[in-house]
Amino acid sequence: MKHLCLLLTAVAFAAEPDWTAIDKRATEFLQSYIRIQTVNPPADSRPAAALFKAELELHGLSPKIYESGPQQQILLVRLPGKNRALKPLLLLNHFDVVPVDRAAWKVDPFGALIQDGYIWGRGTLDMKGIGVQQLFALTMLKDLGIVPERDIVMLVTPDEETGGELGIRWMIEKHFDEINAEWCLDEGGMGTRDIFSKEKRLIFGVAVGEKQLLWLRLRAKGTAGHGSQPIPDNANMILIQAIQKALELPVNVKGNRVVAEMMRVIGTAAENKFMAAIQKNTISLTTLTAGVGSPVKANVIPSNSEATLDCRLLPGVNADEFVSEMKARINDPRVTIERLTNPVDAGESPSDTALFKILADAIRKHHPGAEVTPMLVPFGTDSVNLRKRKIPAYGFTPMILDAATAATMHSDSERIPLDQFLKGLRIYLDVLRGI
């Protein structure tokens, strides 16, 4: 506690924070946060909310805790600005992380090990690292005595990884006035030299939109029988043929405005799965389920077979038409298609706002020569719920990531470069100073 008091005193009376002390404190805080296993399900966010609450209170802030479920807590804190008539800036992040396959990890996924210049663990990239950057930027602003022009609100939710029903959607339904913002900063985007452009230039993408999430279940019905006697009405074969036809997506000739603007900045697009995914509608086969018995018998042809498809649609694509076209391609009465999600087409946030310029200026201050572009992300975030409410939301990751590191999101080697995490603290503080 003595060390912390000295740290706060030093920060309070300095024109700049004591970055040596801040870097150490932020790193240790992130490690503590990673070690709290906020896996969703069950998305028990109570220990993580307590960690954030204690840190905020140390800096004289007064966070609120909302109980959105039996184990789910939402944290909200507000730093008052000069002009209370202005809508606030909303900083949005989430406590929850996806499950882990411990056997596949080479390190403890919740150990927060620092090794080879990286901090390793579930949630480092998605999105505990960004959450700590937001938290520390907010508390540094308070300690420096900087009063922003408008309020800054930070919201931390427990349920982003399963759709936000007990998180952002709960807040919008129950307490929208608390988060009705001028702009929002969330996860998404990044700085990189090898993901966007073939030319290896340093480019920061700020996400202004995301693809629509459409999950489908295909069911095939056939005739059961003995595996020794092949039959044409085999549900597995019917399903395989249906999947092949489902994957034969027509070329999207319309394109997308944000992708076109991004291409003007990056030049020749790099050839990788990320760039391929943001330029077109995509379908991934994610599960296959069939068989009779437990364990399943190898000599029984089942009468039913199922698969799930993870479809991601560009903004502006009509989901009903997409499914109708897939049914026409399959054209088999033995196959049914069930929608597991209802896509939200919230459009894209504008990139000509004051906040977008502040983000670009902060990036270029710390990375001279970097180019900044609006972009789409292929995955879903809580921001879609805010864009649906006409709140411009931006995915902002103030770190340079290479393709190998960015690909560790949700993987068994998730990690972020420690130096980039710390550089991101400085960028985030400059963003908040500019609000």
Side-chain angles (χ1 to χ4, degrees):
M1 181 61 73
K2 181 180 178 182
H3 170 75
L4 181 59
C5 291
L6 290 173
L7 169 61
L8 297 181
T9 301
V11 170
F13 291 98
E16 280 288 316
D18 178 352
W19 283 113
T20 300
I22 290 291
D23 287 350
K24 182 175 185 295
R25 173 72 178 160
T27 301
E28 292 171 348
F29 187 94
L30 178 57
Q31 288 179 294
S32 297
Y33 188 20
I34 293 166
R35 289 167 185 152
I36 299 174
Q37 299 184 30
T38 53
V39 172
N40 188 356
D44 184 351
S45 63
R46 294 169 294 180
L51 180 72
F52 269 57
K53 183 174 183 287
E55 183 69 16
L56 289 161
E57 289 175 343
L58 281 174
H59 296 269
L61 292 164
S62 302
K64 296 180 183 179
I65 299 291
Y66 298 94
E67 305 278 349
S68 61
Q71 297 177 302
Q72 290 73 34
Q73 290 186 338
I74 296 171
L75 181 142
L76 182 137
V77 66
R78 182 180 297 266
L79 178 65
K82 297 174 186 175
N83 189 344
R84 305 305 296 278
L86 296 174
K87 286 185 177 182
L89 168 69
L90 178 64
L91 306 178
L92 179 61
N93 64 86
H94 59 87
F95 290 126
D96 59 321
V97 300
V98 295
V100 301
D101 177 0
R102 285 183 176 271
W105 282 74
K106 295 180 180 179
V107 300
D108 181 352
F110 300 104
L113 175 70
I114 296 176
Q115 179 176 282
D116 301 326
Y118 292 86
I119 182 163
W120 297 70
R122 175 60 84 229
T124 48
L125 191 54
D126 184 17
M127 66 173 294
K128 290 185 174 182
I130 300 170
V132 174
Q133 289 170 339
Q134 292 184 354
L135 171 67
F136 271 68
L138 190 67
T139 56
M140 282 189 283
L141 204 68
K142 175 72 163 56
D143 293 339
L144 290 169
I146 299 172
V147 181
E149 191 64 29
R150 64 182 71 238
D151 290 4
I152 300 175
V153 175
M154 185 175 72
L155 178 70
V156 196
T157 65
D159 190 33
E160 190 270 349
E161 295 293 355
T162 51
E165 182 178 352
L166 297 177
I168 187 64
R169 289 163 55 190
W170 189 92
M171 281 298 294
I172 288 173
E173 180 183 346
K174 306 286 187 183
H175 301 282
F176 182 66
D177 287 348
E178 292 274 14
I179 60 172
N180 185 12
E182 185 72 23
W183 312 292
C184 171
L185 287 179
D186 191 8
E187 63 184 328
M190 73 197 86
T192 184
R193 290 186 173 88
D194 66 347
I195 299 175
F196 300 150
S197 175
K198 269 189 175 180
E199 298 162 18
K200 306 298 183 183
R201 307 195 314 271
L202 177 56
I203 299 171
F204 272 81
V206 176
V208 298
E210 58 197 57
K211 295 173 76 176
Q212 303 174 66
L213 171 62
L214 174 63
W215 289 347
L216 302 175
R217 178 182 286 120
L218 271 59
R219 284 193 179 98
K221 185 169 181 59
T223 301
H226 198 290
S228 66
Q229 301 161 57
I231 54 176
D233 200 27
N234 182 323
N236 288 333
M237 297 308 298
I238 294 168
L239 182 66
I240 288 171
Q241 292 163 7
I243 291 169
Q244 289 175 332
K245 292 175 181 177
L247 295 174
E248 294 171 357
L249 279 170
V251 176
N252 180 53
V253 295
K254 185 178 179 182
N256 177 267
R257 174 187 63 83
V258 173
V259 173
E261 185 174 352
M262 183 181 183
M263 293 303 172
R264 286 194 292 271
V265 174
I266 69 175
T268 305
E271 296 177 2
N272 55 54
K273 64 179 183 179
F274 186 94
M275 291 303 296
I278 65 172
Q279 296 182 65
K280 59 187 178 182
N281 301 324
T282 59
I283 302 176
S284 290
L285 173 63
T286 51
T287 69
L288 289 167
T289 307
V292 177
S294 181
V296 293
K297 292 289 289 179
N299 63 346
V300 178
I301 299 172
S303 58
N304 293 282
S305 188
E306 295 184 1
T308 55
L309 303 178
D310 185 342
C311 309
R312 305 290 172 134
L313 314 183
L314 288 168
V317 172
N318 185 290
D320 292 336
E321 292 178 2
F322 183 87
V323 174
S324 179
E325 290 169 359
M326 181 183 292
K327 288 179 178 178
R329 289 198 302 276
I330 294 172
N331 191 28
D332 191 332
R334 299 170 297 178
V335 178
T336 61
I337 300 178
E338 176 190 0
R339 289 170 63 153
L340 304 179
T341 61
N342 292 311
V344 176
D345 188 3
E348 302 108 346
S349 300
S351 57
D352 58 353
T353 61
L355 177 59
F356 195 96
K357 183 178 185 305
I358 290 168
L359 298 177
D361 289 345
I363 289 167
R364 292 184 184 115
K365 174 183 173 182
H366 293 274
H367 298 286
E371 298 172 83
V372 182
T373 178
M375 66 174 292
L376 293 180
V377 290
F379 45 81
T381 72
D382 275 341
S383 286
V384 69
N385 298 282
L386 298 171
R387 292 190 186 105
K388 191 177 178 181
R389 290 290 187 120
K390 307 304 180 186
I391 297 174
Y394 302 96
F396 179 59
T397 301
M399 295 183 277
I400 300 174
L401 305 175
D402 59 25
T405 303
T408 67
M409 182 187 295
H410 290 200
S411 82
D412 53 22
S413 58
E414 188 174 353
R415 62 191 185 272
I416 54 173
L418 182 57
D419 64 339
Q420 289 301 311
F421 165 71
L422 299 176
K423 178 67 73 72
L425 293 173
R426 291 149 175 81
I427 296 173
Y428 237 114
L429 177 59
D430 282 339
V431 169
L432 299 194
R433 279 171 160 163
I435 293 301

